Amino acid sequence: MKLTAAPQAPSTPTSAVKRSQAVSNEDIAAVFDDIADLLEIDDANPFRIRAYRVAARTLRALTVELAPLIARGETLPKLPGIGVDLAAKISEIASTGDCALRQRLRSTLPPGLVELLSIAGLGPKRIKHLYHGLGIETAQQLCEAAEQGHIRHVPGFGERLEARLLSAAQKGLGKDRRLPLGVVEPVALQLIEYLRQLPGVEDARLAGSLRRMRDTVGDIDILVAAAPAVVVTAHLIRHPEVSTILVKGRTRASVVLDSGLQVDVRVVKPADWGAALVYFTGSKAHNIAIRKQAREQGLKLNEYGVFKGQERLAGATEVSVYQALGLPWITPELREDRGEVAAALSGRLPKLVEVSDLKGDLHAHTCDADGANTLEQMALAAQQAGLEYLAITDHFLDSERLLKQIDQIDALNARLRGITLLKGVEVEILEDGSLGLPDAVLARLDLVVGAVHTHFNLTLRQQTQRLLRAMDHRYFTLLAHPLCRLINQRAPLNMDLSAVIRAASARGCCLELNAQPQRMDLFDLQCQYAKDQHVLISINSDAQRTADFAYLRYGVAQARRAWLEKGDVLNTRSLSALKSLLAATAGGRSQGAGN
Ligand code: DGT
Ligand code: CA
Ligand code: CA
């Protein structure tokens, strides 16, 4: 993929580490400024922060260099605002080039946070607000929060600053990486709307990995149907967010958006639409597989149609193309050459799970803990999203608040109609695999969702044992985001997932397919393995706010890519079927189930 800007090296805010040369007053001032920035991000005492800023200014105004004085053992002149403690730090920096306090602050703050300082428009004060307000620690998280419109709501920010920060942060990130489907899709759908506005455009659709709903996408591919005279590519490059034009012809264009995303647009005649859509949807491997299928029947398949000699058999619609090859239409999520062509040939394509099959969501948060909305708001939003039940699984570290919430849920259920809240928790799986809340409390819940949030770096053996032990727990229902990966930020846990899946099977535990765009956890092939092992998958939004139920469709797409059918997904069950399943699979849960 094309880059708009060369990725910047992670910045090191001016450090005065140059021991071989004399340390200048400016170098010392720069270290003090850096310390002030770090203290500010760390939300330290404002007077302490100010002391370092004032000292930096004082140092810059001096006419005599301090380091040579210190080297000669002379005492420092009395300087306004510089007491014993700061004077000692000046000596330390003058002789070592750095300061232990600065190193300590840098090592205790998340490393990404310090790098945020290099983003234009972001000073320590704003970083502090983003960090403490939204938990933003990295440029990637900044981009995602901005794209989702969360930053404008932080006091002192607003829409314009949000857009500016997004653009600056994206420039700083290497753009040659794959981005989460859920981040790119909304942008791509807006472009589709824009292209459809042009008179003469008959259709515009996503193609490529976006249409196949891969969890990450390399770029945005769009196919447009229009008569040859329609100037589609000229319309595209007039879009306000286009920053660079890589290719522009009559029938194709590639551009880069301000966000760094590349967009490839192809324009085809309506008569060729179906064949072109098959071709540009891919995957490349699927295209190769169906071309082979064509050849075996003495046919030729390309982006213009299916041909027998000179005669064109099909091309206007996808259905006609597949039909001409003797195949039923294959849904884009399956087009990866993972057996879909053989299954289509033998009439054994799966009847894939659909969004409308979901009856509930088993992982969601409220403002009682980390979420943004109340129990009732979440319940009503889930109902709006077409669900019949919602498990509240706040992340409580102490029993008191959970017990209080249990009573609130009972009271709310007594008055809600058409939606039932289930009582759950997202309980910590501790380092040794025990659960972070006492059994007596877990016993009162309808379900227990276990998750790893700490100790990501155990050895493979330890990490696997930890998860197996957690699943041994009599009340354990569901392992949330099993891989703990964050796209572009945190690699999957180092563990033996097949062993975890087999253990889940043996114990009757379920695994989550977490639909948060940056998680998408498990991968499609892993869900497929879980299905083979008869482990039920729960497609959950992990909603932090009412709008997040919209993420469920990404989870469903990933499940479809895993060939999952309705029966393979736990939360397609009716409430009563779910309850008997929960009661049956977890030993001793029966007295806790029921509202
Ligand atoms: P991505 O962008 O890395 O997420 O993945 P795709 O699948 O969107 O790949 P992309 O954008 O390079 O190409 C879009 C589609 O165009 C691809 O899925 C299939 C088709 N295509 C591209 N290059 C070739 C090719 O060399 N041969 C064939 N048969 N199809 C291709
Ligand atoms: Ca693509
Ligand atoms: Ca492409």
Side-chain angles (χ1 to χ4, degrees), residues 436-467:
L437 288 168
D439 282 12
V441 174
L442 298 181
R444 296 198 41 195
L445 300 168
D446 295 315
L447 79 167
V448 171
V449 175
V452 164
H453 295 110
T454 57
H455 303 285
F456 297 114
N457 295 323
L458 304 183
T459 65
L460 183 134
R461 215 182 98 79
Q462 287 171 325
Q463 198 67 268
T464 309
Q465 287 304 316
R466 175 191 191 183
L467 294 175

Side-chain angles (χ1 to χ4, degrees), residues 22-28 62-70 72:
V23 174
S24 68
N25 292 348
E26 171 54 39
D27 295 333
I28 303 171
L62 287 180
T63 49
V64 49
E65 285 293 332
L66 296 181
L69 290 183
I70 293 164
R72 289 196 299 271

Side-chain angles (χ1 to χ4, degrees), residues 208-209 218-222 254 262-265 280:
S209 52
D219 64 0
I220 297 175
D221 297 293
I222 293 177
S254 288
Q262 184 176 325
V263 184
D264 291 345
V265 172
F280 291 110

Side-chain angles (χ1 to χ4, degrees), residues 178 207-210 212 214 216-219 221 264 279-284 287-288 291:
R178 307 183 63 80
S209 52
L210 264 172
R212 304 195 311 279
R214 263 193 77 173
T216 63
V217 298
D219 64 0
D221 297 293
D264 291 345
Y279 183 86
F280 291 110
T281 298
S283 65
K284 209 162 152 179
N287 288 351
I288 292 169
R291 272 207 305 273

Side-chain angles (χ1 to χ4, degrees), residues 168-201:
Q170 281 167 331
K171 287 213 180 80
L173 288 170
K175 276 296 140 201
D176 55 339
R177 55 166 136 202
R178 307 183 63 80
L179 293 178
L181 172 67
V183 171
V184 178
E185 197 199 43
V187 180
L189 291 176
Q190 276 173 17
L191 275 175
I192 296 267
E193 280 313 308
Y194 171 82
L195 290 170
R196 281 183 181 156
Q197 282 162 15
L198 183 69
V201 166

Side-chain angles (χ1 to χ4, degrees), residues 558-573:
Q558 181 97 322
R560 289 167 65 84
R561 292 177 54 82
W563 295 52
L564 296 196
E565 302 184 90
K566 184 176 170 180
D568 305 318
V569 177
L570 175 65
N571 48 327
T572 60
R573 302 289 192 275

